[in-house]
Amino acid sequence: MPRADATSMASETKTGKRRWIGIMFECCAIYSRLYRAPGSTEYRGRCPRCLRALHLPVGEGGTDSRQFRAK
Ligand SMILES: [Zn+2]
């Protein structure tokens, strides 16, 4: 990993900007989290059981809701 990326990630962690949302994967009825990478405009994650990839765009001005469902 390039040194610049490591520095960027450390900075994000220090300022507490790394965000996540809770989501229910209805394919397997499992609750998990999607994380947003620094600088990204969407949350990404995978179902813990079937490993189905999921992308969820970040809403305008962010979103107050922390509960989502993936069908
Ligand atoms: Zn699943």
Side-chain angles (χ1 to χ4, degrees), residues 20-65:
W20 57 268
I21 55 172
I23 186 161
M24 173 64 73
F25 287 89
E26 295 195 333
C27 53
C28 301
I30 293 178
Y31 179 83
S32 189
R33 293 179 179 181
L34 294 185
Y35 288 92
R36 194 178 80 182
S40 176
T41 57
E42 66 180 11
Y43 293 91
R44 296 186 182 190
R46 284 178 181 272
C47 172
R49 180 170 292 178
C50 70
L51 302 183
R52 183 168 67 97
L54 187 69
H55 299 198
L56 190 70
V58 177
E60 282 188 32
T63 175
D64 291 334
S65 178

